[in-house]
């Protein structure tokens, strides 16, 4: 892994130099007065050696690679021991992560990829042999959506980390229990996201997922970022041992961070994604498009002053300068009070709520503030004095907003907040991952009780106003990557008969072993991300050797443009456009042919059929030296006949039949190794 950090020689450090081992967030964690364990990430010269020392002290630590480990330690250990350990380059504090909360398959072209008598496309691609791992919360392990046709669980492993941060460690297990993971405050979030990516086909229920035969791993996160890194390491180890391609879906995020794709966590997931072929890391972009969580300003002259303000209601502010020379270019004076009342000046140096640093991984100046007042009538105002040409950015944590108002004592109006650069900042902006926005494919639905529910006044096809947008604070990184359906998406959910009576968002129920299993409607990038995760599982089934670079090439090449996205190659709202799972599959097959990998993973069918009015399109799943396509009438007479040679994997040919009289016909496709026969009905 390549870091922007410099290795420190093993020598005595002054207390000031030693203090720099803790980043701004870790400094705040070290000041905690309780005994609660603090989740941290450490970069060092020998991760195994440092982890062993932490374990010997009685605390949790796990190496993530040669130079990075995750750990949980009490504040006193963080402050007194790790802050003075000469083997350590940097200790990064944790950020809490939060969840980002039928018709979809047709919209993104998946109905063109899965066999169903009512679908227009017939194909072998169902995610078979591919592993989809969900890091989330609110799993109902025994929902019928996660069982195969024989009633066996498709879940291969679970790992419930909900109590991890309190020191109650748990281990992954292949013993899948009944019931749920106990994360009641998530409201079944994980059940919804998992069923969108990979929910099983259940009888006449049309709410199955994108990859209904994929294997599943369910990990209940505890919201601490270092633990998420451990969970990613476990998924990678498991899939590597099993020899399976895998997709990880992460429908959660945090808004605090540098937003430049250069954080140590970004480095970690970049390396993980690119280390070997057959893996994809997918993130929900976030649901902050309606929130003014970001402010930005470029100073026009030296000494210019601007103010930013935030209500003290469980708020965090993360202020960054864009200069990357490792020097201080702005100063801050802080005040607390009300706009029309008295403001009390605060001492940043003496107030534990403030931490500052010159950040080691991007050489930028940073200030963090976290309120402890929880009083929405009291505001913290930061008056920032900057140098000409310097741009500053600040973010507040989720569902808070910057306040734009006049403060009479300062004779200043605080900067207006906006929703730009509002994407999640924990891997979402890493170059090798995928960041997914949400657009509208349904703006209303009918509940199980027969009530019509209006979800949004937006038109079908528009980017949801709640979907977070870019760009990154880094011109070399284009995020988001693409958008997928995420408004009023129907999926499996945790519910009850009581909820069926009172909750308009319950859509349907299916009986399984005497228990009702519910399907519900939901909205958010949490639900658009698993649409992409499931689609990528299909691509990896077709070509398990796809690298993260090739997956990005597929997204960039095949994403659809329309009147809503515009025709730019990329833009900070839509990324490269709308997901097209079918065109992506074709390109995955073509890449497989170019690299000479074995025949399609888990497929026995020679072709996939796309059935259109007046024409069938025939997509060859593998290279074929020859193929004969013949259409017979009911008397067995040949009506159409074509012979093809040297067909390439991913090649598509057309079978027009608009000149045939109305009637029933038989289509026979013969290759060197198989025969494929289907009925064709022509109506005029």
């Amino acid at each position: 892994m390549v870091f922007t950090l410099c290795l420190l020689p093993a020598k005595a450090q002054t207390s000031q130099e030693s203090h720099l081992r803790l980043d701004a967030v870790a400094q705040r964690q070290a000041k905690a007065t309780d005994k609660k364990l603090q989740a941290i990430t450490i970069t060092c010269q020998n991760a195994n050696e440092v982890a062993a020392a932490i374990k010997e002290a009685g605390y949790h630590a796990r190496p993530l690679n040669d130079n990075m480990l995750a750990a949980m330690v009490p504040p006193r250990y963080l402050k007194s021991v790790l802050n003075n350990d000469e083997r350590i380059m940097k200790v990064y504090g944790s950020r809490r992560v939060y969840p980002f909360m039928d018709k979809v398959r047709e919209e993104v072209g998946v109905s063109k990829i899965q066999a169903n008598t009512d679908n227009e496309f017939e194909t072998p691609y169902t995610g078979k042999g591919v592993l989809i791992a969900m890091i989330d919360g609110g799993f109902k392990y025994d929902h019928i959506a996660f069982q195969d046709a024989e009633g066996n669980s498709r879940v291969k492993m679970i790992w419930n980390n909900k109590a991890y941060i309190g020191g109650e460690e748990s281990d992954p297990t292949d013993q899948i229990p009944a019931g749920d993971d106990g994360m009641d405050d998530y409201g079944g979030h994980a059940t919804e996201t998992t069923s969108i990516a990979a929910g099983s086909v259940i009888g006449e229920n049309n709410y199955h997922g994108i990859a209904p035969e994929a294997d599943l791993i369910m990990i209940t996160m505890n919201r601490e970022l270092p633990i998420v890194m451990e969970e990613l390491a476990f998924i990678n180890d498991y899939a590597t041992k099993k020899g399976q391609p895998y997709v990880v879906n992460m429908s959660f995020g945090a808004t605090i961070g540098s937003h430049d794709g250069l954080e140590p966590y970004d480095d970690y997931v970049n390396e993980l994604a690119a280390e070997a072929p057959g893996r994809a890391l997918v993130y929900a972009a976030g649901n902050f498009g309606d929130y003014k969580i970001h402010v930005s300003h470029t100073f026009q002259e030296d000494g210019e002053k601007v103010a930013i303000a935030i209500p003290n209601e469980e708020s965090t502010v993360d202020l960054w300068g864009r200069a990357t020379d490792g020097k201080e270019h702005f100063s801050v004076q802080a005040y607390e009070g009300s706009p029309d009342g008295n403001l009390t000046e605060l001492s940043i140096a003496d107030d534990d709520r403030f931490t500052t640093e010159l950040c080691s991984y991007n050489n930028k100046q940073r200030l963090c503030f976290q309120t402890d007042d929880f009083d929405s009538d009291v505001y913290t105002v930061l008056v920032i004095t900057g140098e000409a040409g310097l741009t500053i950015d600040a973010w507040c944590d989720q569902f808070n907003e910057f306040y734009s108002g006049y403060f009479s004592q300062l004779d200043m109006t605080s900067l207006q907040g906006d929703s730009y650069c509002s994407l999640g900042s924990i891997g979402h902006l890493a170059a090798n991952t995928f960041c997914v926005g949400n657009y509208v494919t349904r703006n209303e639905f009918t509940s199980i009780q027969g009530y019509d529910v209006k979800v949004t006044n937006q038109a079908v096809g528009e980017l949801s106003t709640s979907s977070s947008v870019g760009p990154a604070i880094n011109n070399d990184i284009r995020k988001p990557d693409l958008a997928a359906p995420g408004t009023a998406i129907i999926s499996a959910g945790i519910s009850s008969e009581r909820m069926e009576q009172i909750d308009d968002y319950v859509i349907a129920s299916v009986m399984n072993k005497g228990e009702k299993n519910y399907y519900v409607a939901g909205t958010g990038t949490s639900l658009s991300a698993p649409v992409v995760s499931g689609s990528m599982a299909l691509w990896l089934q077709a070509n398990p050797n796809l690298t993260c670079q090739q997956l990005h090439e597929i997204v960039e090449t095949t994403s659809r443009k329309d009147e809503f996205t515009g025709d730019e190659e990329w833009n900070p709202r839509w990324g490269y456009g709308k997901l097209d799972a079918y065109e992506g599959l074709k390109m995955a097959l073509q890449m497989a042919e170019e690299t000479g990998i074995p025949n399609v993973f888990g497929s026995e069918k020679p072709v996939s059929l796309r059935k259109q009015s007046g024409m069938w399109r025939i997509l060859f799943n593998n290279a074929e030296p020859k193929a004969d396509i013949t259409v017979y009438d009911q008397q067995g007479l040949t009506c159409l006949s074509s012979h093809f040679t040297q067909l390439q994997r991913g090649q598509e040919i057309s079978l027009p039949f608009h000149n045939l009289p109305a009637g029933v016909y038989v289509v026979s496709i013969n290759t060197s190794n198989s025969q494929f026969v289907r009925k064709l009905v022509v109506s005029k």
Side-chain angles (χ1 to χ4, degrees), residues 339-602:
D340 298 324
N342 292 327
L343 292 174
T344 301
E345 187 171 340
L346 305 175
S347 172
I348 291 176
D350 300 325
D351 193 325
D352 285 349
R353 296 175 297 175
F354 293 92
T355 50
T356 61
E357 67 173 324
L358 293 174
C359 187
S360 56
Y361 61 78
N362 59 12
N363 294 316
K364 295 178 181 179
Q365 185 180 356
R366 180 188 194 186
L367 177 145
C368 287
F369 166 77
Q370 185 172 26
T371 181
D372 57 7
D373 292 335
F374 309 110
D375 187 347
S376 60
D377 295 326
V378 176
Y379 293 79
T380 295
V381 185
L382 305 181
V383 177
I384 306 155
T385 304
E387 299 176 359
L390 172 70
T391 299
I392 57 169
D393 296 276
W395 291 267
C396 59
D397 53 359
Q398 70 158 12
F399 305 126
N400 291 306
E401 294 185 292
F402 286 105
Y403 170 76
S404 176
Y406 179 70
F407 290 83
S408 55
Q409 184 173 320
L410 300 174
D411 192 22
M412 297 180 71
T413 298
S414 53
L415 294 176
Q416 176 72 49
D418 59 53
S419 61
Y420 298 114
C421 309
S422 59
L423 300 171
S425 62
I426 51 166
H428 304 68
L429 303 174
N432 292 338
T433 66
F434 296 89
C435 182
V436 185
N438 156 31
Y439 72 93
V440 180
T441 48
R442 178 191 286 111
N443 49 30
E444 59 184 1
F445 60 85
T446 302
S447 74
I448 196 171
Q449 297 298 323
Y451 300 119
D452 293 329
V453 180
K454 185 76 171 180
V455 180
T456 177
N457 291 321
Q458 287 189 267
V460 169
E462 289 184 357
L463 188 74
S464 171
T465 57
S466 66
S467 188
S468 292
V469 299
I473 309 298
N474 185 336
N475 292 332
D476 294 329
I477 295 176
R478 289 180 166 185
K479 297 290 175 175
D481 293 277
L482 75 167
T487 300
I489 305 302
I490 299 173
S491 58
I494 297 176
S495 195
S496 65
E497 291 198 22
R498 177 176 177 272
M499 293 302 293
E500 178 182 332
Q501 302 300 318
I502 66 174
D503 190 346
D504 288 344
Y505 282 73
V506 177
I507 301 299
S509 64
V510 177
M511 292 299 296
N512 181 41
K513 299 177 182 178
E515 179 186 7
K516 280 189 176 181
N517 287 233
Y518 289 92
Y519 288 81
V520 299
T523 292
T525 58
S526 277
L527 309 183
S528 58
V531 176
V532 173
S533 295
S535 298
M536 288 188 173
L538 305 184
W539 301 349
L540 288 171
Q541 180 186 1
N543 183 352
N545 282 356
L546 287 171
T547 65
C548 71
Q549 182 179 356
Q550 288 175 314
L551 286 166
H552 275 276
E553 185 179 347
I554 289 173
V555 167
E556 294 169 16
T557 303
T558 66
S559 293
R560 294 184 292 113
K561 305 289 195 298
D562 61 19
E563 66 272 24
F564 298 107
T565 67
D567 57 6
E568 298 173 273
E569 179 189 11
W570 176 90
N571 69 63
R573 298 181 72 248
W574 288 95
Y576 289 94
K578 296 178 177 179
L579 171 69
D580 191 321
Y582 172 61
E583 290 299 323
L585 174 68
K586 286 172 59 177
M587 191 165 175
L589 287 169
Q590 291 161 4
M591 286 177 166
E593 180 65 18
E594 292 167 3
T595 55
I597 69 166
N599 284 356
V600 63
F601 201 42

Side-chain angles (χ1 to χ4, degrees), residues 44-92:
C44 57
Q45 299 181 43
N46 188 322
N48 288 321
E49 182 180 295
V50 174
I54 295 173
K55 289 179 180 178
E56 187 175 347
Y59 307 117
H60 171 81
R62 172 174 175 162
L64 301 171
N65 54 37
D66 292 343
N67 303 107
M68 181 179 284
L69 66 138
M72 292 190 300
V73 299
R76 60 176 176 78
Y77 188 86
L78 174 59
K79 184 176 182 178
S80 63
V81 179
L82 297 183
N83 198 30
N84 294 287
D85 191 326
E86 296 177 0
R87 296 166 298 184
I88 292 174
M89 294 188 293
K90 200 73 175 181
V91 178
Y92 296 95

Side-chain angles (χ1 to χ4, degrees), residues 12-76:
Q13 305 288 321
T14 67
S15 59
Q16 182 178 8
E17 289 171 329
S18 171
H19 179 70
L20 295 179
R21 288 202 178 96
L22 305 187
D23 82 336
V25 179
Q27 290 175 44
R28 188 170 66 231
Q29 289 177 268
K31 298 173 184 176
T33 56
D34 57 26
K35 297 181 180 180
K36 181 180 179 182
L37 297 181
Q38 304 294 314
I40 55 173
T41 306
I42 299 171
T43 56
C44 57
Q45 299 181 43
N46 188 322
N48 288 321
E49 182 180 295
V50 174
I54 295 173
K55 289 179 180 178
E56 187 175 347
Y59 307 117
H60 171 81
R62 172 174 175 162
L64 301 171
N65 54 37
D66 292 343
N67 303 107
M68 181 179 284
L69 66 138
M72 292 190 300
V73 299
R76 60 176 176 78

